[in-house]
Tab-separated table of all heavy atoms in Angstrom:
chain	number	residue	atom	x	y	z
W	1	VAL	N	104.192	96.730	97.730
W	1	VAL	CA	103.109	97.537	97.165
W	1	VAL	C	101.982	97.629	98.188
W	1	VAL	O	101.576	96.629	98.773
W	1	VAL	CB	102.579	96.911	95.857
W	1	VAL	CG1	101.394	97.692	95.325
W	1	VAL	CG2	103.683	96.836	94.815
W	2	PHE	N	101.505	98.855	98.416
W	2	PHE	CA	100.377	99.099	99.311
W	2	PHE	C	99.295	99.821	98.547
W	2	PHE	O	99.574	100.578	97.615
W	2	PHE	CB	100.809	99.935	100.519
W	2	PHE	CG	101.680	99.184	101.488
W	2	PHE	CD1	103.052	99.153	101.326
W	2	PHE	CD2	101.115	98.493	102.539
W	2	PHE	CE1	103.853	98.461	102.205
W	2	PHE	CE2	101.902	97.792	103.426
W	2	PHE	CZ	103.273	97.768	103.263
W	3	THR	N	98.056	99.605	98.949
W	3	THR	CA	96.918	100.252	98.309
W	3	THR	C	96.424	101.389	99.196
W	3	THR	O	96.219	101.205	100.395
W	3	THR	CB	95.778	99.235	98.077
W	3	THR	OG1	96.292	98.165	97.271
W	3	THR	CG2	94.604	99.879	97.365
W	4	PHE	N	96.235	102.555	98.588
W	4	PHE	CA	95.747	103.734	99.278
W	4	PHE	C	94.489	104.238	98.574
W	4	PHE	O	94.295	104.003	97.384
W	4	PHE	CB	96.800	104.857	99.256
W	4	PHE	CG	98.076	104.503	99.964
W	4	PHE	CD1	99.132	103.923	99.272
W	4	PHE	CD2	98.242	104.772	101.312
W	4	PHE	CE1	100.318	103.595	99.918
W	4	PHE	CE2	99.418	104.447	101.970
W	4	PHE	CZ	100.456	103.862	101.266
W	5	VAL	N	93.650	104.965	99.300
W	5	VAL	CA	92.466	105.587	98.690
W	5	VAL	C	92.915	106.702	97.755
W	5	VAL	O	92.381	106.872	96.662
W	5	VAL	CB	91.509	106.133	99.774
W	5	VAL	CG1	90.368	106.916	99.154
W	5	VAL	CG2	90.977	104.990	100.622
W	6	GLN	N	93.940	107.461	98.171
W	6	GLN	CA	94.556	108.473	97.318
W	6	GLN	C	96.054	108.468	97.584
W	6	GLN	O	96.497	107.976	98.613
W	6	GLN	CB	93.963	109.849	97.576
W	6	GLN	CG	94.164	110.344	98.984
W	6	GLN	CD	93.446	111.668	99.222
W	6	GLN	OE1	92.557	112.037	98.482
W	6	GLN	NE2	93.828	112.363	100.273
W	7	VAL	N	96.807	109.018	96.660
W	7	VAL	CA	98.267	109.031	96.809
W	7	VAL	C	98.631	109.951	97.977
W	7	VAL	O	98.217	111.109	98.007
W	7	VAL	CB	98.947	109.531	95.515
W	7	VAL	CG1	100.451	109.619	95.707
W	7	VAL	CG2	98.616	108.618	94.359
W	8	PRO	N	99.397	109.435	98.961
W	8	PRO	CA	99.830	110.295	100.059
W	8	PRO	C	100.709	111.432	99.531
W	8	PRO	O	101.435	111.271	98.543
W	8	PRO	CB	100.648	109.357	100.951
W	8	PRO	CG	100.167	107.987	100.606
W	8	PRO	CD	99.819	108.055	99.151
W	9	ARG	N	100.636	112.566	100.184
W	9	ARG	CA	101.409	113.744	99.765
W	9	ARG	C	102.716	113.818	100.547
W	9	ARG	O	102.838	113.268	101.638
W	9	ARG	CB	100.602	115.011	100.011
W	9	ARG	CG	99.353	115.056	99.185
W	9	ARG	CD	98.561	116.283	99.472
W	9	ARG	NE	97.318	116.219	98.705
W	9	ARG	CZ	96.441	117.162	98.672
W	9	ARG	NH1	96.614	118.263	99.381
W	9	ARG	NH2	95.345	117.031	97.944
W	10	ILE	N	103.668	114.545	99.996
W	10	ILE	CA	104.945	114.763	100.673
W	10	ILE	C	104.675	115.440	102.014
W	10	ILE	O	103.897	116.388	102.100
W	10	ILE	CB	105.883	115.623	99.795
W	10	ILE	CG1	106.265	114.850	98.531
W	10	ILE	CG2	107.126	116.039	100.573
W	10	ILE	CD1	107.040	115.660	97.515
W	11	GLY	N	105.292	114.907	103.063
W	11	GLY	CA	105.132	115.449	104.404
W	11	GLY	C	104.073	114.749	105.229
W	11	GLY	O	104.042	114.905	106.450
W	12	GLU	N	103.201	113.976	104.598
W	12	GLU	CA	102.161	113.264	105.336
W	12	GLU	C	102.736	112.055	106.056
W	12	GLU	O	103.722	111.464	105.618
W	12	GLU	CB	101.050	112.786	104.402
W	12	GLU	CG	100.119	113.876	103.948
W	12	GLU	CD	98.954	113.333	103.137
W	12	GLU	OE1	99.052	112.249	102.538
W	12	GLU	OE2	97.944	114.027	103.094
W	13	SER	N	102.092	111.693	107.166
W	13	SER	CA	102.423	110.467	107.891
W	13	SER	C	101.527	109.346	107.400
W	13	SER	O	100.338	109.569	107.146
W	13	SER	CB	102.176	110.645	109.383
W	13	SER	OG	103.311	111.104	110.019
W	14	ILE	N	102.102	108.158	107.265
W	14	ILE	CA	101.322	106.980	106.912
W	14	ILE	C	101.721	105.849	107.850
W	14	ILE	O	102.850	105.799	108.326
W	14	ILE	CB	101.514	106.568	105.428
W	14	ILE	CG1	102.989	106.337	105.092
W	14	ILE	CG2	100.908	107.603	104.491
W	14	ILE	CD1	103.236	105.827	103.685
W	15	ALA	N	100.792	104.976	108.139
W	15	ALA	CA	101.062	103.814	108.995
W	15	ALA	C	101.132	102.576	108.112
W	15	ALA	O	100.229	102.330	107.311
W	15	ALA	CB	99.979	103.663	110.047
W	16	LEU	N	102.207	101.829	108.246
W	16	LEU	CA	102.410	100.625	107.432
W	16	LEU	C	102.909	99.484	108.294
W	16	LEU	O	103.612	99.696	109.277
W	16	LEU	CB	103.458	100.885	106.342
W	16	LEU	CG	103.200	102.005	105.359
W	16	LEU	CD1	104.437	102.210	104.501
W	16	LEU	CD2	101.999	101.684	104.491
W	17	VAL	N	102.559	98.281	107.911
W	17	VAL	CA	103.116	97.073	108.513
W	17	VAL	C	104.052	96.472	107.469
W	17	VAL	O	103.609	95.968	106.452
W	17	VAL	CB	102.019	96.065	108.895
W	17	VAL	CG1	102.642	94.787	109.429
W	17	VAL	CG2	101.060	96.663	109.904
W	18	LEU	N	105.343	96.597	107.711
W	18	LEU	CA	106.355	96.055	106.795
W	18	LEU	C	106.990	94.845	107.450
W	18	LEU	O	107.897	94.970	108.257
W	18	LEU	CB	107.422	97.109	106.472
W	18	LEU	CG	106.938	98.358	105.749
W	18	LEU	CD1	108.078	99.357	105.598
W	18	LEU	CD2	106.384	97.993	104.388
W	19	GLY	N	106.491	93.671	107.110
W	19	GLY	CA	107.045	92.457	107.707
W	19	GLY	C	106.632	92.351	109.160
W	19	GLY	O	105.561	92.784	109.562
W	20	GLY	N	107.490	91.800	109.971
W	20	GLY	CA	107.185	91.661	111.389
W	20	GLY	C	106.344	90.437	111.670
W	20	GLY	O	105.884	89.738	110.776
W	21	GLN	N	106.160	90.190	112.920
W	21	GLN	CA	105.400	89.037	113.379
W	21	GLN	C	104.224	89.521	114.222
W	21	GLN	O	104.332	90.508	114.927
W	21	GLN	CB	106.288	88.121	114.226
W	21	GLN	CG	107.451	87.517	113.466
W	21	GLN	CD	106.994	86.555	112.394
W	21	GLN	OE1	106.036	85.822	112.570
W	21	GLN	NE2	107.662	86.581	111.260
W	22	PRO	N	103.122	88.802	114.186
W	22	PRO	CA	101.985	89.181	115.035
W	22	PRO	C	102.284	88.880	116.508
W	22	PRO	O	103.131	88.044	116.817
W	22	PRO	CB	100.844	88.305	114.514
W	22	PRO	CG	101.525	87.108	113.938
W	22	PRO	CD	102.829	87.610	113.386
W	23	ASP	N	101.572	89.581	117.407
W	23	ASP	CA	101.732	89.280	118.828
W	23	ASP	C	100.943	88.007	119.162
W	23	ASP	O	100.436	87.332	118.270
W	23	ASP	CB	101.307	90.464	119.694
W	23	ASP	CG	99.820	90.775	119.617
W	23	ASP	OD1	99.057	89.990	119.002
W	23	ASP	OD2	99.405	91.792	120.180
W	24	ASP	N	100.833	87.683	120.429
W	24	ASP	CA	100.159	86.439	120.857
W	24	ASP	C	98.692	86.387	120.450
W	24	ASP	O	98.118	85.310	120.332
W	24	ASP	CB	100.278	86.275	122.373
W	24	ASP	CG	101.722	86.046	122.802
W	24	ASP	OD1	102.537	85.614	121.963
W	24	ASP	OD2	102.035	86.321	123.980
W	25	ASP	N	98.073	87.566	120.262
W	25	ASP	CA	96.664	87.620	119.858
W	25	ASP	C	96.488	87.668	118.348
W	25	ASP	O	95.379	87.817	117.841
W	25	ASP	CB	95.985	88.836	120.486
W	25	ASP	CG	95.943	88.749	122.002
W	25	ASP	OD1	95.786	87.621	122.524
W	25	ASP	OD2	96.085	89.797	122.662
W	26	GLY	N	97.594	87.607	117.601
W	26	GLY	CA	97.520	87.646	116.142
W	26	GLY	C	97.444	89.043	115.568
W	26	GLY	O	97.100	89.226	114.405
W	27	VAL	N	97.783	90.045	116.362
W	27	VAL	CA	97.703	91.445	115.921
W	27	VAL	C	99.052	91.883	115.356
W	27	VAL	O	100.094	91.669	115.965
W	27	VAL	CB	97.305	92.361	117.102
W	27	VAL	CG1	97.318	93.821	116.689
W	27	VAL	CG2	95.939	91.960	117.636
W	28	TYR	N	99.009	92.516	114.192
W	28	TYR	CA	100.209	93.131	113.604
W	28	TYR	C	100.203	94.610	113.973
W	28	TYR	O	99.171	95.272	113.866
W	28	TYR	CB	100.199	93.006	112.074
W	28	TYR	CG	100.513	91.629	111.580
W	28	TYR	CD1	99.508	90.688	111.408
W	28	TYR	CD2	101.812	91.263	111.281
W	28	TYR	CE1	99.785	89.418	110.946
W	28	TYR	CE2	102.112	89.995	110.812
W	28	TYR	CZ	101.096	89.077	110.644
W	28	TYR	OH	101.377	87.823	110.188
W	29	TYR	N	101.331	95.143	114.410
W	29	TYR	CA	101.424	96.548	114.772
W	29	TYR	C	102.079	97.338	113.639
W	29	TYR	O	103.061	96.901	113.067
W	29	TYR	CB	102.230	96.715	116.059
W	29	TYR	CG	101.482	96.193	117.256
W	29	TYR	CD1	101.692	94.892	117.702
W	29	TYR	CD2	100.556	96.981	117.907
W	29	TYR	CE1	100.985	94.400	118.800
W	29	TYR	CE2	99.848	96.495	118.995
W	29	TYR	CZ	100.065	95.207	119.438
W	29	TYR	OH	99.374	94.718	120.503
W	30	ALA	N	101.517	98.507	113.369
W	30	ALA	CA	102.028	99.351	112.298
W	30	ALA	C	103.058	100.335	112.840
W	30	ALA	O	102.982	100.777	113.982
W	30	ALA	CB	100.877	100.117	111.645
W	31	ASP	N	104.019	100.672	111.993
W	31	ASP	CA	104.983	101.725	112.281
W	31	ASP	C	104.554	102.966	111.508
W	31	ASP	O	103.888	102.872	110.475
W	31	ASP	CB	106.392	101.310	111.846
W	31	ASP	CG	106.927	100.124	112.640
W	31	ASP	OD1	106.585	100.011	113.832
W	31	ASP	OD2	107.669	99.330	112.062
W	32	ARG	N	104.945	104.149	112.007
W	32	ARG	CA	104.585	105.385	111.325
W	32	ARG	C	105.754	105.863	110.472
W	32	ARG	O	106.902	105.913	110.939
W	32	ARG	CB	104.198	106.458	112.340
W	32	ARG	CG	103.641	107.713	111.661
W	32	ARG	CD	103.039	108.672	112.635
W	32	ARG	NE	104.055	109.117	113.583
W	32	ARG	CZ	103.767	109.544	114.801
W	32	ARG	NH1	102.523	109.554	115.225
W	32	ARG	NH2	104.733	109.955	115.600
W	33	TYR	N	105.453	106.196	109.228
W	33	TYR	CA	106.450	106.663	108.267
W	33	TYR	C	106.051	108.044	107.771
W	33	TYR	O	104.874	108.378	107.698
W	33	TYR	CB	106.541	105.707	107.071
W	33	TYR	CG	107.063	104.341	107.453
W	33	TYR	CD1	106.203	103.353	107.920
W	33	TYR	CD2	108.417	104.046	107.359
W	33	TYR	CE1	106.685	102.105	108.287
W	33	TYR	CE2	108.898	102.798	107.730
W	33	TYR	CZ	108.033	101.843	108.191
W	33	TYR	OH	108.500	100.610	108.555
W	34	ARG	N	107.053	108.862	107.378
W	34	ARG	CA	106.822	110.182	106.814
W	34	ARG	C	107.181	110.130	105.328
W	34	ARG	O	108.259	109.664	104.958
W	34	ARG	CB	107.689	111.210	107.532
W	34	ARG	CG	107.579	112.621	107.047
W	34	ARG	CD	106.320	113.318	107.441
W	34	ARG	NE	106.168	113.355	108.891
W	34	ARG	CZ	105.107	113.868	109.488
W	34	ARG	NH1	104.127	114.365	108.783
W	34	ARG	NH2	105.003	113.850	110.799
W	35	VAL	N	106.272	110.585	104.473
W	35	VAL	CA	106.505	110.589	103.027
W	35	VAL	C	107.497	111.702	102.693
W	35	VAL	O	107.246	112.873	102.982
W	35	VAL	CB	105.183	110.786	102.244
W	35	VAL	CG1	105.460	110.850	100.749
W	35	VAL	CG2	104.201	109.668	102.568
W	36	GLN	N	108.623	111.331	102.092
W	36	GLN	CA	109.660	112.289	101.718
W	36	GLN	C	109.556	112.714	100.250
W	36	GLN	O	109.888	113.845	99.907
W	36	GLN	CB	111.053	111.697	101.972
W	36	GLN	CG	111.297	111.337	103.419
W	36	GLN	CD	111.224	112.531	104.345
W	36	GLN	OE1	111.687	113.609	104.009
W	36	GLN	NE2	110.621	112.339	105.514
W	37	ASP	N	109.096	111.805	99.409
W	37	ASP	CA	108.991	112.115	97.979
W	37	ASP	C	107.988	111.172	97.339
W	37	ASP	O	107.774	110.054	97.822
W	37	ASP	CB	110.353	111.966	97.293
W	37	ASP	CG	110.491	112.833	96.055
W	37	ASP	OD1	109.499	113.468	95.631
W	37	ASP	OD2	111.598	112.881	95.498
W	38	VAL	N	107.367	111.634	96.274
W	38	VAL	CA	106.419	110.833	95.497
W	38	VAL	C	106.910	110.850	94.053
W	38	VAL	O	107.080	111.917	93.465
W	38	VAL	CB	104.987	111.407	95.584
W	38	VAL	CG1	104.032	110.568	94.760
W	38	VAL	CG2	104.524	111.481	97.031
W	39	LEU	N	107.178	109.681	93.508
W	39	LEU	CA	107.696	109.554	92.141
W	39	LEU	C	106.644	108.921	91.253
W	39	LEU	O	106.154	107.830	91.553
W	39	LEU	CB	108.964	108.705	92.127
W	39	LEU	CG	110.069	109.121	93.105
W	39	LEU	CD1	111.182	108.097	93.102
W	39	LEU	CD2	110.592	110.494	92.747
W	40	HIS	N	106.303	109.600	90.181
W	40	HIS	CA	105.337	109.073	89.205
W	40	HIS	C	106.111	108.648	87.961
W	40	HIS	O	106.904	109.417	87.429
W	40	HIS	CB	104.324	110.157	88.809
W	40	HIS	CG	103.501	110.632	89.949
W	40	HIS	ND1	102.263	110.114	90.228
W	40	HIS	CD2	103.733	111.578	90.902
W	40	HIS	CE1	101.759	110.716	91.284
W	40	HIS	NE2	102.637	111.610	91.712
W	41	SER	N	105.898	107.424	87.503
W	41	SER	CA	106.556	106.914	86.290
W	41	SER	C	105.502	106.684	85.219
W	41	SER	O	104.463	106.067	85.488
W	41	SER	CB	107.276	105.595	86.574
W	41	SER	OG	108.266	105.787	87.551
W	42	ALA	N	105.769	107.176	84.037
W	42	ALA	CA	104.835	107.006	82.927
W	42	ALA	C	104.852	105.563	82.435
W	42	ALA	O	105.834	104.833	82.618
W	42	ALA	CB	105.210	107.940	81.786
W	43	ALA	N	103.777	105.169	81.810
W	43	ALA	CA	103.692	103.821	81.237
W	43	ALA	C	104.537	103.766	79.977
W	43	ALA	O	104.455	104.637	79.121
W	43	ALA	CB	102.248	103.484	80.914
W	44	ILE	N	105.389	102.747	79.891
W	44	ILE	CA	106.144	102.469	78.674
W	44	ILE	C	106.063	100.968	78.449
W	44	ILE	O	106.045	100.184	79.391
W	44	ILE	CB	107.619	102.931	78.766
W	44	ILE	CG1	108.308	102.335	79.999
W	44	ILE	CG2	107.716	104.439	78.806
W	44	ILE	CD1	109.788	102.593	80.077
W	45	GLU	N	105.967	100.562	77.237
W	45	GLU	CA	105.840	99.134	76.925
W	45	GLU	C	107.045	98.383	77.447
W	45	GLU	O	108.169	98.839	77.243
W	45	GLU	CB	105.710	98.930	75.414
W	45	GLU	CG	104.373	99.373	74.864
W	45	GLU	CD	103.209	98.540	75.389
W	45	GLU	OE1	103.401	97.347	75.686
W	45	GLU	OE2	102.121	99.098	75.538
W	46	PRO	N	106.910	97.296	78.102
W	46	PRO	CA	105.709	96.598	78.528
W	46	PRO	C	105.283	96.948	79.952
W	46	PRO	O	104.456	96.280	80.539
W	46	PRO	CB	106.112	95.135	78.447
W	46	PRO	CG	107.549	95.154	78.883
W	46	PRO	CD	108.100	96.463	78.334
W	47	MET	N	105.865	98.013	80.559
W	47	MET	CA	105.616	98.346	81.959
W	47	MET	C	104.460	99.347	82.090
W	47	MET	O	104.410	100.326	81.354
W	47	MET	CB	106.876	98.967	82.588
W	47	MET	CG	108.103	98.065	82.544
W	47	MET	SD	107.913	96.553	83.481
W	47	MET	CE	107.865	97.213	85.113
């Protein structure tokens, strides 16, 4: 789960750090991903 200011749109690029290890300076590097689809699920008990 990642937190965004707004939901990314289909076709937009987003930068994410998915796992990985930091370099010697403690920096995590992000990879660039392209949003292919956005799925919205309605609330149903208990979810």
Side-chain angles (χ1 to χ4, degrees):
V1 176
F2 289 88
T3 302
F4 298 91
V5 174
Q6 61 185 19
V7 177
R9 297 178 184 184
I10 294 173
E12 285 186 336
S13 269
I14 56 176
L16 302 172
V17 176
L18 297 175
Q21 297 294 322
D23 66 8
D24 294 338
D25 296 325
V27 176
Y28 285 88
Y29 290 94
D31 295 327
R32 187 170 61 206
Y33 295 86
R34 179 74 59 183
V35 177
Q36 300 298 321
D37 206 353
V38 179
L39 308 173
H40 297 265
S41 299
I44 54 173
E45 288 295 330
M47 301 297 292

